[in-house]
Amino acid sequence: MNPRNRIARRAAEYFSAGDVVNLGIGIPSLCSDYAEPGVMFHTENGLVGMGPLASGIQAVEGFSNATAMRFVPVPGASAFDSAESFALVRSGKLAASVLGGLQVSATGDLANWAQPGRVFGMGGAMDLVNGARKVIITMELCTRDGQPKIVNTCSYPLTGQRCVDHIVTEQCVIDVTRDGLMLVELLEGLTPDDIQRQVEPRLLISSRLKTLQP
């Protein structure tokens, strides 16, 4: 399994049957393939009930998410306009939102929509990080040139402050707690020191540190 799918599979473990969950662009969009039955996925362009990503004759233009990826709707799916969709987001009824990240700070601030020379677009992220009951960030631990994405203070424009609950990467899982960032899962073969060298904040180590499945 490649690292992106491994991240998505681990993030999907936070979902339970009956949850309504929003999935963002990129790695988050893969989570629907790993969720247990009964999880309902929300797309901010106006649908609850987004199923697995579609291919072949199942790929119908009318069932596309906010990033134009086509999917198979599940039984009981409901479509509505974007105003109702964002009313749902702001109501606090979303169990979780899964988003990509450019930077996450030591206090759980998130930057995920712009960096110098590159703007990805805000989309509904500001609403999602404030409206969802749980915010899960899925991303590689470092940039392609080896720079940390988990930083003391975000240098990119913020999406939200103190909004992140969990950070899922290809090497580890980190929880944002009142006391700081806590390493709770670690890929087999790595040590806490291996992770610490790749992030800026000093990590707390869980007394129940688990092995992240490869």
Side-chain angles (χ1 to χ4, degrees):
M1 179 177 289
N2 67 46
R4 291 168 61 86
N5 288 86
R6 186 166 71 237
I7 293 169
R9 182 185 65 181
R10 175 58 186 86
E13 293 180 16
Y14 288 112
F15 314 152
S16 300
D19 285 348
V20 178
V21 177
N22 179 277
L23 300 179
I25 299 169
I27 295 173
S29 67
L30 303 174
C31 292
S32 60
D33 290 339
Y34 301 101
E36 67 174 270
V39 178
M40 298 287 278
F41 290 102
H42 166 265
T43 175
E44 59 263 38
N45 59 320
L47 188 135
V48 169
M50 184 176 67
L53 298 179
S55 60
I57 62 173
Q58 290 184 314
V60 178
E61 185 175 356
F63 292 111
S64 299
N65 63 17
T67 58
M69 298 178 70
R70 297 178 184 181
F71 61 87
V72 179
V74 300
S78 177
F80 33 81
D81 65 24
S82 60
E84 286 186 273
S85 182
F86 276 92
L88 172 62
V89 171
R90 295 163 185 161
S91 72
K93 290 183 170 61
L94 290 181
S97 179
V98 187
L99 298 165
L102 296 172
Q103 291 179 330
V104 179
S105 80
T107 56
D109 299 341
L110 172 66
N112 81 338
W113 70 278
Q115 62 187 122
R118 192 175 183 189
V119 176
F120 298 88
M122 175 57 66
M126 279 189 173
D127 286 293
L128 289 164
V129 299
N130 287 287
R133 297 196 296 272
K134 183 182 296 182
V135 175
I136 303 160
I137 302 305
T138 57
M139 64 182 190
E140 287 86 3
L141 187 61
C142 297
T143 65
R144 291 179 182 177
D145 60 357
Q147 297 302 307
K149 289 187 174 183
I150 300 177
V151 295
N152 290 320
T153 303
C154 293
S155 59
Y156 299 158
L158 291 184
T159 306
Q161 291 182 299
R162 297 179 180 270
C163 58
V164 176
D165 296 291
H166 307 288
I167 308 166
V168 182
T169 80
E170 80 284 11
Q171 298 184 47
C172 63
V173 178
I174 295 171
D175 288 348
V176 182
T177 75
R178 291 182 179 179
D179 297 322
L181 300 183
M182 180 172 290
L183 182 65
V184 296
E185 292 186 32
L186 188 61
L187 188 66
E188 187 176 4
L190 297 179
T191 68
D193 285 342
D194 292 328
I195 304 302
Q196 185 63 70
R197 284 192 289 268
Q198 300 176 77
V199 304
E200 289 184 354
R202 174 57 56 182
L203 297 176
L204 305 172
I205 311 301
S206 172
S207 59
R208 299 181 179 180
L209 185 64
K210 297 180 181 179
T211 299
L212 181 62
Q213 294 301 309

